[in-house]
């Protein structure tokens, strides 16, 4: 099983739609989780951290399910500007480790 | 957050030559990393740049090919040595303050080897 696995997509959704991405991770000791966004020909940028209790930032909601070892990202009311690749990122080694493992990303295209 | 800059932003090089990429962070970070990303592919970690000591390389990457320096907590360099067309890629550096914290990325260096 790959350390961090995502559906590569692409997800093609109309403006205003709600879209959800899931990501699974293999190391049950993982402690920290993030969603990054990467625009075409740009560097990855932090979208949001994922907390055990779940967290929301405007139209974006992230959830963590430790029992099933998956993370989700929900985008409501999609905008054209949301078109990007969304990377699931996990600290696979737990406490004391700095390294992050990046998923291959899920490509989202929001269509007018 | 941390603001990270990289130089050069892009370069076209001849095979057999070497290129040194610089990474500057606007504030001190504990860890710095170097990644490679092929177009449309995921990030691949090359090495962890350790301040004041030798870098820690991932499987498939060696110091002779990718020497790394990190003289202080805000600066690092990656050299791509004896380049071949297979080294054409985007090279990204990142900085991280504490464990379990996020990494911030530089804008990347686009390298094309002819």
């Amino acid at each position: 099983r790959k350390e961090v696995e995502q559906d590569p997509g692409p997800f093609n959704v109309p403006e205003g739609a709600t879209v959800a991405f899931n990501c699974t991770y293999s190391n049950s000791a993982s402690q920290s989780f993030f969603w990054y966004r990467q625009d075409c020909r740009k560097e990855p940028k932090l979208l949001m951290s994922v907390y055990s209790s779940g967290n929301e930032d405007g139209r974006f909601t992230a959830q963590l399910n430790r029992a099933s070892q998956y993370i989700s990202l929900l985008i409501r009311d999609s905008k054209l500007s949301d078109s990007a690749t969304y990377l699931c990122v996990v600290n696979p080694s737990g406490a004391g480790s700095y390294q992050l493992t990046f998923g291959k990303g899920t490509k989202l295209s929001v269509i007018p | 957050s941390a603001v990270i800059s990289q130089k050069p932003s892009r370069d076209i090089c001849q095979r057999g030559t070497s290129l040194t990429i610089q990474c500057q962070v606007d504030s001190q970070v504990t860890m710095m990393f170097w990644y490679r990303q092929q177009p449309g592919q995921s990030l691949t970690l090359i090495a962890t740049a350790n301040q004041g000591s030798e870098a820690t390389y991932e499987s498939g990457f060696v110091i002779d090919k990718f020497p790394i320096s990190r003289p202080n907590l805000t600066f690092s360099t990656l050299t791509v040595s004896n380049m071949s067309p297979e080294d054409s890629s985007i090279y990204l550096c990142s900085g991280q303050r504490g464990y379990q914290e996020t990494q911030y990325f530089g804008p990347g260096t686009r390298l094309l080897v002819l």
Side-chain angles (χ1 to χ4, degrees):
Chain A
R1 182 178 179 182
K2 294 179 183 176
E3 286 194 71
V4 178
E5 204 152 359
Q6 295 180 250
D7 180 346
F11 285 63
N12 299 314
V13 303
E15 273 187 288
T18 295
V19 62
F21 308 136
N22 287 330
C23 162
T24 58
Y25 60 95
S26 60
N27 189 334
S28 60
S30 300
Q31 295 293 321
S32 50
F33 310 89
F34 310 93
W35 283 101
Y36 277 69
R37 168 192 172 131
Q38 187 170 25
D39 292 282
C40 186
R41 302 175 70 83
K42 297 287 189 180
E43 75 273 22
K45 293 183 178 179
L46 176 69
L47 178 65
M48 59 197 306
S49 301
V50 186
Y51 304 120
S52 296
S53 54
N55 47 302
E56 188 173 309
D57 183 2
R59 297 181 293 108
F60 299 85
T61 301
Q63 297 279 353
L64 168 64
N65 185 319
R66 286 189 184 274
S68 301
Q69 294 179 211
Y70 81 78
I71 307 149
S72 64
L73 176 68
L74 182 77
I75 306 175
R76 291 181 298 277
D77 188 22
S78 300
K79 311 290 184 192
L80 294 176
S81 57
D82 293 335
S83 297
T85 297
Y86 291 83
L87 305 174
C88 175
V89 183
V90 175
N91 178 323
S93 302
S97 172
Y98 286 83
Q99 283 193 9
L100 301 179
T101 298
F102 289 78
K104 291 182 182 291
T106 298
K107 186 173 181 179
L108 171 66
S109 293
V110 181
I111 304 164
Chain B
S1 65
V3 177
I4 300 180
S5 59
Q6 284 184 236
K7 289 194 298 186
S9 58
R10 59 180 65 237
D11 208 341
I12 301 173
C13 301
Q14 297 296 322
R15 70 170 67 214
T17 63
S18 297
L19 176 72
T20 295
I21 303 168
Q22 298 181 8
C23 178
Q24 179 74 55
V25 190
D26 68 338
S27 56
Q28 292 185 351
V29 290
T30 305
M31 305 298 287
M32 293 182 76
F33 302 91
W34 287 97
Y35 294 83
R36 186 166 72 181
Q37 187 176 31
Q38 303 283 1
Q41 302 296 313
S42 63
L43 293 160
T44 300
L45 181 63
I46 298 172
T48 303
N50 300 309
Q51 192 262 330
S53 64
E54 195 171 283
T56 305
Y57 290 85
E58 297 301 303
S59 175
F61 298 97
V62 294
I63 188 171
D64 290 344
K65 176 67 176 177
F66 297 101
I68 288 171
S69 78
R70 190 175 174 200
N72 56 52
L73 292 176
T74 62
F75 185 78
S76 179
T77 67
L78 168 76
T79 299
V80 186
S81 303
N82 188 25
M83 287 184 285
S84 66
E86 292 72 33
D87 294 321
S88 299
S89 188
I90 300 169
Y91 292 84
L92 295 136
C93 71
S94 72
Q96 185 174 347
R97 289 208 170 86
Y99 76 90
Q100 296 190 19
E101 292 190 27
T102 188
Q103 289 181 19
Y104 298 94
F105 284 85
T109 296
R110 297 179 181 281
L111 171 62
L112 176 63
V113 184
L114 302 177

